[in-house]
Amino acid sequence: MNFRQVHLDFHTSEAIDGIGSNFDKKQFQDALKMGHVNSITVFSKCHHGWAYHPSKANEMHPNLKFDLLKAQIEAAHEIGVKTPVYISAGLDEKYARRHPEWLVRNADDSTTWVSDFLTPGYHKFCMNTPYLDYLLAQIKEVCENYDADGIFLDIVGVQPCYCHNCRQTLRNEGKSPKDAAAVNELARRTYANYTKRVRETIDSVK
């Protein structure tokens, strides 16, 4: 990332209409010039789980009618501004509703960030589940289809987890999910595997 880097935070639920409908290339470029910006993070996928571009690995925001990611990258690159691309990794509320069994769980089986699905908020995914493959496919698609100047992955780190996958992993290794040290050690391995596979996925393209 260059010195004057702006993070264009852009999280929009499916309840919001007219996504990007007023995007204007010249206005976008003029704003970047006025701010003396030389790098701006633009979004492929936000915390709500929607893509801001046509996608086979994900689903485009239902109220977006064009490839917003491509338009932003092309407008920025035309005036020499870098465009790292943001993909929400740990949060994906659309998919959380479809696969709650892949979410990080506390020891009492509650979810993190918010404890349940009746409380407003986001739910975090465990990378020791099939969700990781779903995420990697999205990362690869962006690397293949867009001239990204980097990939920005958010809401990830070493995360102790008691989901069914993590409990079964520990049991298969002859360990107990009630052993905090074993749970924390698995959390470190899970994060290391995530970083390794992300690196391999990106390097396979560019």
Side-chain angles (χ1 to χ4, degrees), residues 1 5-11 23 28 32 37 39-46 50-53 67-77 81-88 142 146-154:
M1 293 190 295
Q5 156 70 24
V6 169
H7 182 73
L8 188 64
D9 228 6
F10 195 71
H11 302 280
F23 178 81
F28 187 66
L32 294 174
V37 174
S39 179
I40 184 166
T41 304
V42 289
F43 273 42
S44 164
K45 182 184 82 169
C46 75
W50 299 106
Y52 295 99
H53 54 87
D67 192 334
L68 178 58
L69 178 62
K70 180 181 179 181
Q72 290 176 320
I73 290 175
E74 289 182 348
H77 281 181
V81 176
K82 300 283 189 182
T83 55
V85 174
Y86 179 100
I87 301 173
S88 181
V142 168
Y146 296 92
D147 187 17
D149 293 304
I151 300 294
F152 186 137
L153 299 168
D154 205 8

Side-chain angles (χ1 to χ4, degrees), residues 32-199:
L32 294 174
K33 292 175 183 176
M34 186 181 298
H36 301 280
V37 174
N38 54 25
S39 179
I40 184 166
T41 304
V42 289
F43 273 42
S44 164
K45 182 184 82 169
C46 75
H47 293 344
H48 293 276
W50 299 106
Y52 295 99
H53 54 87
S55 175
K56 294 179 180 178
N58 193 4
E59 298 163 59
M60 190 161 86
H61 194 292
N63 297 319
L64 176 64
K65 307 304 181 187
F66 69 106
D67 192 334
L68 178 58
L69 178 62
K70 180 181 179 181
Q72 290 176 320
I73 290 175
E74 289 182 348
H77 281 181
E78 193 172 284
I79 58 172
V81 176
K82 300 283 189 182
T83 55
V85 174
Y86 179 100
I87 301 173
S88 181
L91 303 181
D92 184 323
E93 199 59 20
K94 167 173 57 67
Y95 227 58
R97 294 191 292 270
R98 298 177 189 178
H99 288 282
E101 73 278 14
W102 294 350
L103 296 175
V104 170
R105 297 283 173 166
N106 299 313
D108 64 0
D109 208 39
S110 61
T111 55
T112 58
W113 285 54
V114 289
S115 61
D116 53 62
F117 278 90
L118 293 178
T119 303
Y122 299 111
H123 302 81
K124 191 174 184 181
F125 275 96
C126 175
M127 297 299 175
N128 188 32
T129 68
Y131 174 75
L132 178 57
D133 290 325
Y134 174 70
L135 174 65
L136 293 174
Q138 295 172 351
I139 295 170
K140 186 171 185 180
E141 181 180 67
V142 168
C143 291
E144 289 176 336
N145 295 345
Y146 296 92
D147 187 17
D149 293 304
I151 300 294
F152 186 137
L153 299 168
D154 205 8
I155 322 298
V156 284
V158 176
Q159 174 69 65
C161 179
Y162 295 84
C163 75
H164 294 298
N165 283 63
C166 287
R167 293 184 191 197
Q168 192 59 51
T169 296
L170 290 170
R171 292 191 183 105
N172 290 345
E173 295 173 348
K175 301 171 184 175
S176 171
K178 294 184 178 181
D179 181 349
V183 171
N184 289 330
E185 192 274 333
L186 176 59
R188 290 191 292 272
R189 277 191 286 140
T190 297
Y191 182 63
N193 179 64
Y194 155 82
T195 59
K196 176 176 179 289
R197 293 195 62 196
V198 165
R199 182 76 268 171

Side-chain angles (χ1 to χ4, degrees), residues 9-27:
D9 228 6
F10 195 71
H11 302 280
T12 55
S13 84
E14 59 276 10
I16 299 176
D17 293 325
I19 300 301
S21 59
N22 291 326
F23 178 81
D24 178 87
K25 175 181 175 181
K26 184 179 184 302
Q27 185 276 332

